[in-house]
Amino acid sequence: MVTLALIPYLALSAAIDPLAPIITADLHMSAQAMTLASGLGNAAYAVGTVLAVQFAQHLPQRRMLLGYAVLLVAGSVLAAAALNAGMYIGGHVLQGLSTSMLLIAAAPPLTIGFPRDKLRNTAVIMNMCVFGAVALGPFIGGAQAEAHEWRPLFWIIAAIAMLALVMAALTFDDAPPADPDAPRDLLAIALATVGCTAAFVGAAQLTTHALRDPAASVPMFGGLALIVVLIVYQFRAKRPLLTVRTMLTSAIPVAGVGVALFAAAASVAATALTANVLLESFSPVQVGLIYLPELGGAVVMAVVFGFVISRKAMHYLPLVGMALLAAGILVFSYALPANQSLAMVGSALTGLALGAAVAPALFVAGFSLQSASLQRVFAIIELLRAVAAFMVAPILAHVADALPGDLAAGTGTTLWIGFGLAIGGAVFGVAIYVLSGARPQKPDLDEFLDGESPAWYSPPLLARIRSGLPSPVPGIDHRERVTAAVPRRLPTSVGPVLFAYDGSELAACAIEQAASQLPPGRCALVVCVWQPAHVGFTPVEKRHFDADQATEVRRAAESTAAHGASLAARAGFDADAVAVEAAPTWKGILAAAEESNASLIVLGPHRRSGLVGHLQGSVAAAVMAHSTIPVMAIPEQPCRR
């Protein structure tokens, strides 16, 4: 569902350049209006990261995701059916806004909401699909331009967005708001909105204005200044919306984010600059084929990333990516103006670099902080990455066009700037590690996913050269982990009854109905299955807790299980309670039943009607399909309670 939501806008952003002349002619737009549409879409993407965090504090997750997916479908349909420039720009802005909101709302729960053995698969698939979409964009755009059409591609994008909406409706479980008591930070939202809009509008003006022209420079640099003000404001705020202070005062997050920003800026600029030159000698579809090796490189490196994500080597992968990026840009510079073979080699190297640098560097930063802050960390990272990736390219394109000589000569000169960004990013990351005393470490993913601590130790920023700071002590703080274990019972002639209790009225009625079918005094174990982010149960206590904080979710699950045990005791059972972390829920129920030698599993299946009921399935159906223990399913019926 996440990849289906992200692919449309990311692929479209990379595919739009060869289609721009066709779209402008069909909608009677100027080249400036077309550039403005792309700029406003990118600005909306950046603003959406901040809005998503604010909404996550006060709205249930399922409601948010469905709303964002509906917005993505609406924007995609509006752009595909556009009759004029206004409809097209409005649709593209909605696409950018909803894409980033979906990313911030869904990616952190996807990362931390499952056990550690799923994290490698998550990283591989997301890296492959996200950067694969970017790499495939030029070929898709070129193939569509070759047919002198643009609407078929946009309608395909709308269909993919509709699939994302269907997946969200059928698969995503609800979870409570992260913090309903959190303040509504309207100032942060205003700074992000005005700053990003002004900065990207100013960059879009470079199509028809010089860099020194106030029409371009004032909004561009003024917007960047407001983004800096936003970061400073969030750094100093007592209850910030974005996790800025923790991220900017710790060495490894600063290094990871810095490398990701350098890589994004250099790679996007290099691809856009060389494509402009190659289009003078080749058709759009030929240029797309030249960039197709970038997709292969991204896929290969996504698999490598999945292999090293649980190893110390993860720290070195972004450096390898920056070296590959520098090499790719260097090859691109020798491929101009029309060496097809060298351009394909440069494309492959750039694809390998994208997969090795950006996502691994961001995960290195994320693992250095508690998983509960992952959503806010993703938001500030995506905000900065959008600015770096989508603003550097038009600026360098303007410089290349303004330099003496033809476009190939100017592009060759500006590619050296991209080469410098790649080398500078690698040097920046290494320097932060050295000056802070940070060392590559193997991540403790159990600690990270439980929300108890970061995956490794990150010393204070520049700890070795700042006075008054303790000497960095590399290594992870291996605190003793205390987990709620299922009470193990000795084998008896009749094992305990296991009640799957999720806090719902239906689950409570199942306990009551089972008591009328079973002899009194039976031993019972009431199990509440939970997981971070998705939660998986209805808390019996009407108190707020952070759904991304594993400790708080576990405590709420323990209270819910204890409440279920009290209901079982009232019904005549000798009941114990336990909260079990597992995903999906049915696996946690079966694991607890096996651990406690249960003789019977009792649950109340939630009945779903219509299409959703047939396609989504249920916990009860999964338990009955996989269980070797008898299962009693209590049908939905009136309860005496």
Side-chain angles (χ1 to χ4, degrees):
M1 184 269 291
V2 172
T3 54
L4 284 174
L6 297 180
I7 283 174
Y9 183 77
L10 296 176
L12 194 60
S13 297
I16 203 69
D17 282 348
L19 296 174
I22 303 173
I23 297 174
T24 53
D26 189 27
L27 299 181
H28 307 290
M29 298 170 60
S30 64
Q32 176 66 75
M34 188 67 193
T35 306
L36 182 63
S38 297
L40 289 175
N42 294 332
Y45 181 92
V47 173
T49 61
V50 181
L51 283 173
V53 174
Q54 181 69 87
F55 291 153
Q57 309 304 304
H58 301 280
L59 296 176
Q61 288 188 15
R62 180 176 172 82
R63 188 182 306 171
M64 286 191 306
L65 282 166
L66 290 177
Y68 302 159
V70 168
L71 200 64
L72 178 61
V73 172
S76 300
V77 170
L78 188 64
L83 301 177
N84 51 53
M87 287 181 64
Y88 175 82
I89 294 174
H92 196 57
V93 167
L94 288 179
Q95 285 179 311
L97 180 67
S98 55
T99 297
S100 63
M101 295 174 87
L102 279 164
L103 171 64
I104 301 305
L110 178 64
T111 303
I112 67 176
F114 294 93
R116 60 169 296 175
D117 59 333
K118 301 291 186 183
L119 185 59
R120 175 180 288 107
N121 299 337
T122 299
V124 170
I125 293 172
M126 286 192 65
N127 199 7
M128 188 182 302
C129 292
V130 170
F131 292 105
V134 175
L136 195 59
F139 171 74
I140 295 174
Q144 183 69 93
E146 193 76 9
H148 301 287
E149 292 284 348
W150 64 276
R151 293 187 190 272
L153 174 59
F154 277 70
W155 282 116
I156 292 173
I157 294 296
I160 296 174
M162 179 59 73
L163 285 177
L165 173 59
V166 172
M167 289 289 287
L170 295 181
T171 67
F172 207 90
D173 294 330
D174 206 1
D179 185 7
D181 297 325
R184 290 171 171 78
D185 201 336
L186 299 181
L187 179 57
I189 295 173
L191 287 171
T193 303
V194 177
C196 292
T197 302
F200 281 101
V201 167
Q205 295 294 323
L206 294 175
T207 303
T208 55
H209 296 78
L211 184 60
R212 61 179 179 274
D213 192 323
S217 60
V218 170
M220 184 167 60
F221 293 114
L224 291 175
L226 288 178
I227 295 174
V228 173
V229 171
L230 169 66
I231 295 172
V232 173
Y233 162 58
Q234 291 294 285
F235 185 91
R236 298 172 61 89
K238 292 182 179 180
R239 296 188 65 184
L241 184 62
L242 307 174
T243 305
V244 174
R245 184 186 301 109
T246 304
M247 188 176 70
L248 295 184
T249 56
S250 186
I252 297 180
V254 170
V257 173
V259 169
L261 296 184
F262 276 100
S267 61
V268 173
T271 301
L273 288 170
T274 53
N276 288 337
V277 178
L278 293 173
L279 282 171
E280 294 184 336
S281 303
F282 303 103
S283 68
V285 71
Q286 288 176 313
V287 173
L289 288 171
I290 289 173
Y291 283 98
L292 206 53
E294 189 171 315
L295 173 62
V299 171
V300 168
M301 203 53 73
V303 176
V304 173
F305 176 42
F307 178 77
V308 305
I309 193 171
S310 59
R311 293 171 169 81
K312 185 189 298 186
M314 181 181 176
H315 291 262
Y316 299 103
L317 189 60
L319 294 181
V320 174
M322 298 306 280
L324 290 170
L325 180 56
I329 294 174
L330 194 62
V331 171
F332 271 140
S333 67
Y334 287 104
L336 300 180
N339 190 318
Q340 187 173 354
S341 299
L342 279 181
M344 294 182 73
V345 173
S347 171
L349 290 172
T350 304
L352 290 168
L354 273 174
V358 180
L362 297 182
F363 268 85
V364 166
F367 281 173
S368 305
L369 306 169
Q370 288 190 345
S371 60
S373 62
L374 202 58
Q375 188 176 60
R376 300 183 182 195
V377 171
F378 268 38
I380 188 64
I381 288 174
E382 278 302 297
L383 171 64
L384 297 176
R385 192 186 69 81
V387 172
F390 298 132
M391 283 199 64
V392 171
I395 293 174
L396 291 184
H398 174 76
V399 172
D401 190 54
L403 287 173
D406 59 10
L407 182 60
T411 299
T413 302
T414 52
L415 281 177
W416 285 104
I417 299 176
F419 179 83
L421 289 174
I423 297 299
V427 172
F428 174 83
V430 172
I432 293 296
Y433 268 65
V434 171
L435 296 177
S436 304
R439 295 183 182 179
Q441 305 148 52
K442 181 180 178 180
D444 188 334
L445 297 181
D446 289 323
E447 288 278 355
F448 176 76
L449 294 176
D450 283 349
E452 302 293 342
S453 68
W456 47 48
Y457 171 74
S458 177
L461 181 63
L462 306 179
R464 283 188 170 178
I465 61 175
R466 291 165 61 190
S467 60
L469 291 178
S471 299
V473 181
I476 303 173
D477 179 17
H478 295 286
R479 297 172 294 180
E480 182 180 359
R481 300 178 63 216
V482 181
T483 58
V486 176
R488 179 177 288 275
R489 298 177 182 269
L490 294 176
T492 61
S493 58
V494 179
V497 177
L498 185 143
F499 290 102
Y501 184 71
D502 62 0
S504 66
E505 185 71 17
L506 182 58
C509 289
I511 294 175
E512 179 183 303
Q513 293 296 323
S516 66
Q517 303 294 326
L518 300 172
R522 284 281 299 271
C523 291
L525 179 64
V526 178
V527 176
C528 180
V529 180
W530 65 277
Q531 53 183 304
H534 297 294
V535 182
F537 62 93
T538 303
V540 294
E541 296 181 356
K542 302 302 181 183
R543 62 182 179 86
H544 302 313
F545 63 89
D546 189 345
D548 291 332
Q549 177 57 262
T551 302
E552 295 187 25
V553 180
R554 184 184 67 241
R555 289 172 181 166
E558 290 170 350
S559 297
T560 301
H563 182 265
S566 69
L567 297 178
R570 190 185 310 165
F573 294 96
D574 179 14
D576 287 331
V578 67
V580 176
E581 180 185 7
T585 300
W586 65 266
K587 285 190 175 182
I589 295 172
L590 293 182
E594 181 180 354
E595 182 75 11
S596 61
N597 300 316
S599 60
L600 179 68
I601 299 174
V602 178
L603 40 74
H606 292 268
R607 184 176 301 167
R608 297 180 173 91
S609 60
L611 178 64
V612 172
H614 289 289
L615 297 182
Q616 190 175 26
S618 70
V619 172
V623 170
M624 287 186 281
H626 296 87
S627 177
T628 58
I629 301 170
V631 178
M632 177 187 288
I634 306 295
E636 189 172 351
Q637 57 186 293
C639 185
R640 292 196 304 268
R641 294 181 64 253

